[in-house]
Amino acid sequence: MILKFLKDWTLPIAMAAGACGYFMFHSINCLAPLKPAVWAIVDILTPLLIFTQLFLTFCKIEPSELKISKWHSTLLIFQAASAFTAALILICVPMNEIYREIFEGAMICLICPTATAAAVVTDKLGGSAASLTVYTLLSNLLAAVFVPVVFPLVEVHAELGFINAFLKILSKVFPLLICPFLLALLLRYISPKLHGFFKRNAGVAFYLWGIALSLVVGQTVRSLCNSTAPASVMWTIAGASLLCCIVQYSFGKHTGKRHKDTISAGQALGQKNTVLAIWMAYTYLNPLSSLAPGTYVLWQNIFNSWQLWRKRKKDETAVPIP
């Protein structure tokens, strides 16, 4: 009963825990000396949780399922082109800090890879979880290349220079997104029993996602509390993430419809690994831009909840064939 409650309400519980945890920790004055150490631990723990989630998800992939569908290439091109367009505007068009935060937030929502939990939602909606998991791998590979190359050009650090910034981000992002798949694939052949253990317990990734979500929400709340930006800017960033959500779900479903895989393609492009997105935005871009993926998680889960509700209603009203 408790596990069912936690699974049904993981999103609001995790977000509330992250926000409340930050305010409680921040308000206890005697803990002030510990704050730098605690935030350092959070910075280390978050990517470890993301790595473990991806590893458990990729343990479920069968090599025979690694088949590229036609819609995979279309969505990858759209994902790369839309994110690069936002990056190009940031690089080439002079703008104040407010507009930069908006475009950075949009860019991170566009390039962010597919959520590890998307396969679960896709399966419940009647789509192909295997096809979506393959796209999850491909979108992680795309992000692993895009982020180290483009982010140093968008958020310039004069003290590092492009090459140093590129290598620094590459050393953290590429292993985080690609090594989980390589490790899962290697483990399948060198230790089938251990691989089978992780495959049977891949559901743990869902709860690890909840913990990681709490941590990154705490980081987002921290950046919001420390920000001097007006409320109108925050609402505009949230609006930009809503627009990104609508565009990506719409384009994904439209593309999937042409290839008779509407549900899988829609979830592949629309349902994002927002935990990873918030972490990347907070770590490598303006911290306030993390508000975009922070609100994207609300938009995508509102839409997913509506889709699941509509699917249940459809199943309940379906007339059984005698």
Side-chain angles (χ1 to χ4, degrees):
M1 183 65 71
I2 296 176
L3 285 177
K4 186 179 185 305
F5 175 80
L6 290 174
K7 191 169 185 177
D8 291 343
W9 296 93
T10 298
L11 173 65
I13 290 173
M15 296 182 72
C20 294
Y22 168 78
F23 287 117
M24 290 176 62
F25 179 71
H26 185 72
S27 62
I28 302 175
N29 294 328
C30 63
L31 296 178
L34 299 176
K35 290 178 181 178
V38 170
W39 287 116
I41 293 173
V42 169
D43 289 339
I44 295 172
L45 190 58
T46 302
L48 288 176
L49 288 169
I50 295 170
F51 181 98
T52 307
Q53 291 174 59
L54 291 173
F55 168 70
L56 292 172
T57 300
F58 292 144
C59 277
K60 296 189 296 183
I61 296 181
E62 296 293 333
S64 59
E65 296 176 344
L66 294 175
K67 298 176 181 178
I68 307 298
S69 300
K70 291 182 179 179
W71 60 263
H72 286 157
S73 56
T74 304
L75 296 194
L76 284 172
I77 292 170
F78 175 84
Q79 187 178 348
S82 59
F84 185 73
T85 300
L88 203 60
I89 293 172
L90 283 163
I91 295 169
C92 299
V93 179
M95 61 181 74
N96 61 31
E97 195 64 27
I98 293 175
Y99 287 109
R100 291 194 65 83
E101 290 160 354
I102 295 169
F103 276 96
E104 284 184 4
M107 180 185 67
I108 200 71
C109 288
L110 292 167
I111 196 56
C112 179
T114 307
T116 54
V120 177
V121 177
T122 300
D123 186 58
K124 288 183 177 180
L125 291 173
S128 172
S131 183
L132 183 134
T133 305
V134 173
Y135 187 82
T136 301
L137 173 61
L138 294 174
S139 63
N140 272 275
L141 179 60
L142 173 63
V145 175
F146 182 96
V147 172
V149 173
V150 176
F151 278 24
L153 298 173
V154 169
E155 197 67 30
V156 180
H157 298 279
E159 70 280 5
L160 288 178
F162 172 78
I163 298 298
N164 288 332
F166 165 78
L167 293 175
K168 181 180 179 181
I169 299 176
L170 180 70
S171 67
K172 293 184 178 181
V173 173
F174 194 87
L176 180 66
L177 299 183
I178 303 306
C179 287
F181 172 72
L182 297 178
L183 180 60
L185 196 64
L186 181 63
L187 201 62
R188 173 183 291 273
Y189 294 105
I190 66 173
S191 182
K193 288 185 177 180
L194 186 58
H195 178 271
F197 171 79
F198 287 123
K199 183 178 179 180
R200 290 190 301 272
N201 293 278
V204 175
F206 183 81
Y207 301 101
L208 293 178
W209 170 79
I211 296 171
L213 181 59
S214 295
L215 296 178
V216 296
V217 165
Q219 289 177 308
T220 302
V221 172
R222 180 192 182 196
S223 66
L224 291 176
C225 291
N226 293 333
S227 174
T228 57
S232 59
V233 174
M234 298 182 186
W235 280 109
T236 305
I237 294 174
S241 76
L242 175 59
L243 180 61
C244 289
C245 187
I246 293 172
V247 168
Q248 291 185 112
Y249 268 109
S250 299
F251 186 85
K253 286 183 175 294
H254 178 73
T255 302
K257 188 176 182 179
R258 297 204 311 268
H259 301 287
K260 299 180 180 179
D261 203 356
T262 306
I263 294 172
S264 303
Q267 296 305 123
L269 190 63
Q271 190 171 350
K272 298 292 189 175
N273 188 344
T274 48
V275 171
L276 174 65
I278 295 170
W279 176 75
M280 288 193 298
Y282 185 85
T283 305
Y284 301 118
L285 302 174
N286 189 307
L288 187 60
S289 66
S290 65
L291 178 61
T295 51
Y296 193 102
V297 70
L298 293 175
W299 311 137
Q300 73 176 12
N301 279 281
I302 289 172
F303 182 65
N304 285 338
S305 299
W306 175 77
Q307 288 189 107
L308 291 169
W309 173 83
R310 190 178 64 168
K311 179 69 165 54
R312 285 196 300 269
K313 287 294 182 182
K314 184 178 179 181
D315 292 342
E316 290 171 0
T317 56
V319 179
I321 300 174

